[in-house]
Amino acid sequence: MEGRVLRMSNKILIIDDSEDILFAISEFFKLKDWEAFTALNVEEALKFLNSREKNIDIIIIDYNLPYINGIMGVKLIRQINPTVPIIALTIEGEEKIAEKFFEVGANDFAIKPIKVLDLYSRVNVHLKNSMKNKEDFNLEYRKGINENTILLIEEKLKNIKEYITVEEISEITGLAPKTTNRYMNYLVEIKKADMQIIYGKIGRPKNKYILKG
């Protein structure tokens, strides 16, 4: 399945001020026959992206970078390339930062410490998305709703055949619980998911969700 998505010569750019992280992620993708490029800061990345002969398939960028942080970095990258998928790296509890990443054009975020296999799965989702014909993306989402996050949720939940809680969905997708709740309610609203209210013996009732198949 993965072999259908990851082609020889796919190119990834990783932007992080930690040489250890750059090495770990780039070596992993090289093992998958990708060309992996690295930058220690946004300025290096912009210089690289302005080189016309370099066509990047996906970008991973950290938030805590010297001089120019990741959010401003995404904003500047979007001025050069408005379509390349961008995955931001944040730490646990930085949900507001993740939302700001979405606002400036990031497609997704992953939580540090990085789980490389999870990151690889996310890259697959976004690569498949970017390879699809534009006519497959005519659905207009509400402001603040990112279609790539919708695709991520659908990819992660497509084989789950029972109602599960926001907390469980959050763990499966890597999205923050508040973000997960907002997206699941939106999917219910557009009739792509169904919700049940479960009343327990103790405490408040819980909402559980399932994708419509």
Side-chain angles (χ1 to χ4, degrees):
M1 191 77 174
E2 291 173 350
R4 295 176 188 173
V5 177
L6 298 181
R7 302 169 284 107
M8 184 77 76
S9 82
N10 283 333
K11 298 178 178 65
I12 185 169
L13 173 62
I14 308 128
I15 310 165
D16 199 299
D17 62 344
S18 167
E19 292 187 0
D20 290 339
I21 289 175
L22 291 178
F23 178 80
I25 298 177
S26 63
E27 287 301 302
F28 177 86
F29 278 92
K30 286 176 184 177
L31 288 173
K32 301 295 182 183
D33 294 321
W34 282 59
E35 289 186 62
F37 302 93
T38 61
L40 286 164
N41 55 58
V42 172
E43 289 176 317
E44 282 185 21
L46 295 176
K47 184 177 179 181
F48 176 86
L49 291 169
N50 275 311
S51 176
R52 291 186 179 181
E53 66 272 16
K54 304 296 185 183
N55 295 314
I56 293 297
D57 294 296
I58 197 158
I59 295 173
I60 295 171
I61 184 169
D62 188 30
Y63 168 65
N64 290 303
L65 293 169
Y67 313 118
I68 302 172
N69 68 31
I71 292 171
M72 182 56 69
V74 171
K75 196 170 183 178
L76 293 170
I77 289 168
R78 282 290 175 240
Q79 294 176 13
I80 299 171
N81 190 326
T83 60
V84 63
I86 301 175
I87 300 176
L89 302 180
T90 67
I91 61 172
E92 193 73 41
E94 288 188 340
E95 183 181 345
K96 289 184 179 179
I97 289 174
E99 292 293 332
K100 288 180 181 178
F101 267 120
F102 284 138
E103 288 172 7
V104 295
N107 301 91
D108 196 2
F109 71 95
I111 301 292
K112 285 186 170 184
I114 298 165
K115 297 177 182 177
V116 184
L117 289 176
D118 176 62
L119 189 61
Y120 183 58
S121 175
R122 290 168 184 268
V123 166
N124 271 298
V125 170
H126 294 292
L127 186 61
K128 283 194 293 184
N129 176 32
S130 67
M131 289 169 65
K132 286 183 179 180
N133 194 292
K134 292 294 184 182
E135 67 186 22
D136 294 332
F137 295 97
N138 289 329
L139 178 60
E140 291 187 6
Y141 292 106
R142 177 187 302 159
K143 184 177 180 181
I145 296 293
N146 184 284
E147 67 182 3
N148 294 294
T149 303
I150 296 283
L151 286 172
L152 173 67
I153 292 171
E154 290 176 338
E155 177 74 16
K156 293 291 187 178
L157 301 188
K158 66 182 179 182
N159 294 320
I160 296 177
K161 305 302 181 185
E162 60 184 7
Y163 286 83
I164 56 176
T165 65
V166 164
E167 291 75 18
E168 290 170 318
I169 298 169
S170 174
E171 186 174 345
I172 292 167
T173 60
L175 298 170
K178 186 175 179 181
T179 301
T180 302
N181 185 64
R182 179 159 56 88
Y183 273 85
M184 292 312 299
N185 286 331
Y186 180 74
L187 286 170
V188 170
E189 184 180 327
I190 64 173
K191 303 187 185 306
K192 284 194 169 187
D194 191 37
M195 181 186 76
Q196 283 186 350
I197 302 174
I198 308 299
Y199 293 90
K201 293 181 179 179
I202 301 175
R204 298 173 60 185
K206 282 195 172 184
N207 295 342
K208 289 191 174 185
Y209 301 86
I210 190 170
L211 288 184
K212 290 185 176 180

